[in-house]
Amino acid sequence: MLTYPEKLAGSKRKCSLYNCGTIDYQTAWIWQKSLQKERTIDPDRADALVILEHPPVYTLGTDASLEYLKFDHLQTEYELYRVERGGEVTYHCPGQIIAYPILNLRYYQQDLHWYLRQLEEVIIRVLALHNLAGERIEGLTGVWVEDRKIAAIGIKVSRWITMHGFALNVCPDLSGFEQIVPCGIADRSVGSMAEFIPNINPYLVRQQIIHVFGEVFGIEMLESEEFQI
């Protein structure tokens, strides 16, 4: 039987960092599944964090309802995928920084609620670096600023190894959200950091996400080679 020892005092678990540019959704999705499978086969392998952006695309969670689409999914010009994460429909596009952590939660806590709150904490701390007060809303997953949802979270965990993750709206064109009911929440709007900080630097935010992620999860980031499937 495999055992998962607790971290040694003073040591940090390693995490391979893939800091990428814009990658189409399907390619990134296949890559995530490959990274997760590698760590299922070899649980001692370093965790991974993929940071990237996507061209415009809509995604639906496993049990997401089509009623939250404002277009016909059978006859549409939009790129649309149903994937294995939790949650309802969401939208990805350039200017939105996406983080896909591939973590073995047996080395952290085997608790999905804990993991979701940790992802929210990463976002809240990054926002605080820009003097923005990120908030949680009881009963909902994600982060809000002044009642505008600024980050969406959706995960899939298999054998305690994670995939999918969070999307932080830094400076995207938000018009794509008008074609859906984002995350199935009709009474709250979507926002971005750029609405509060017009000259926000997405490169800086990306670096802050990487740093804060390591801080929140207590891991050491290792720069990795470019992605390959």
Side-chain angles (χ1 to χ4, degrees):
M1 175 182 291
L2 289 172
T3 58
Y4 297 83
E6 294 184 3
K7 297 179 185 178
L8 297 175
S11 68
K12 287 187 176 183
R13 184 158 170 78
K14 304 295 193 292
C15 182
S16 298
L17 170 64
Y18 297 90
N19 192 4
C20 306
T22 300
I23 300 177
D24 69 271
Y25 190 85
Q26 186 173 35
T27 297
W29 183 22
I30 294 170
W31 183 28
Q32 280 192 79
K33 289 188 281 190
S34 173
L35 291 170
Q36 186 187 55
K37 182 178 180 180
E38 288 173 353
R39 283 147 184 83
T40 300
I41 295 170
D42 179 8
D44 291 329
R45 193 174 186 130
D47 294 323
L49 176 64
V50 178
I51 304 287
L52 46 66
E53 298 180 40
H54 287 311
V57 61
Y58 293 94
T59 70
L60 295 155
T62 304
D63 299 317
S65 174
L66 294 174
E67 70 180 69
Y68 296 126
L69 299 178
K70 297 180 182 179
F71 55 86
D72 184 348
H73 70 288
L74 297 176
Q75 297 182 4
T76 178
E77 61 183 311
Y78 303 118
E79 193 170 359
L80 176 68
Y81 294 94
R82 184 180 289 277
V83 298
E84 61 278 89
R85 66 165 174 79
E88 294 290 343
V89 63
T90 194
Y91 175 65
H92 300 307
C93 65
Q96 181 190 75
I97 298 177
I98 298 169
Y100 291 137
I102 316 294
L103 307 183
N104 186 338
L105 293 183
R106 292 180 186 272
Y107 287 99
Y108 302 90
Q109 290 192 36
Q110 295 177 59
D111 183 331
L112 300 190
H113 292 288
W114 172 86
Y115 179 56
L116 290 169
R117 302 295 81 77
Q118 294 298 98
L119 294 181
E120 290 170 346
E121 182 66 19
V122 171
I123 298 160
I124 288 169
R125 291 192 192 186
V126 169
L127 293 173
L129 294 174
H130 298 269
N131 296 315
L132 294 176
E135 299 178 340
R136 296 180 174 93
I137 295 178
E138 187 175 356
L140 300 175
T141 298
V143 177
W144 282 257
V145 173
E146 294 185 10
D147 212 35
R148 297 173 68 79
K149 191 168 188 179
I150 207 162
I153 298 174
I155 64 169
K156 165 67 176 179
V157 178
S158 176
R159 298 184 183 180
W160 293 110
I161 298 174
T162 70
M163 63 179 288
H164 296 293
F166 68 79
L168 174 61
N169 295 334
V170 180
C171 53
D173 177 356
L174 296 175
S175 62
F177 285 98
E178 296 171 3
Q179 302 301 318
I180 60 173
V181 179
C183 302
I185 305 172
D187 59 346
R188 295 180 187 275
S189 60
V190 174
S192 71
M193 295 179 72
E195 292 179 302
F196 301 94
I197 307 171
N199 296 317
I200 188 74
N201 182 339
Y203 175 79
L204 173 62
V205 176
R206 180 184 285 246
Q207 297 306 119
Q208 290 169 334
I209 289 172
I210 293 166
H211 175 76
V212 172
F213 188 90
E215 182 180 80
V216 168
F217 284 93
I219 54 183
E220 180 183 350
M221 292 296 184
L222 304 174
E223 290 283 349
S224 295
E225 65 280 2
E226 289 297 318
F227 85 96
Q228 57 183 4
I229 297 176

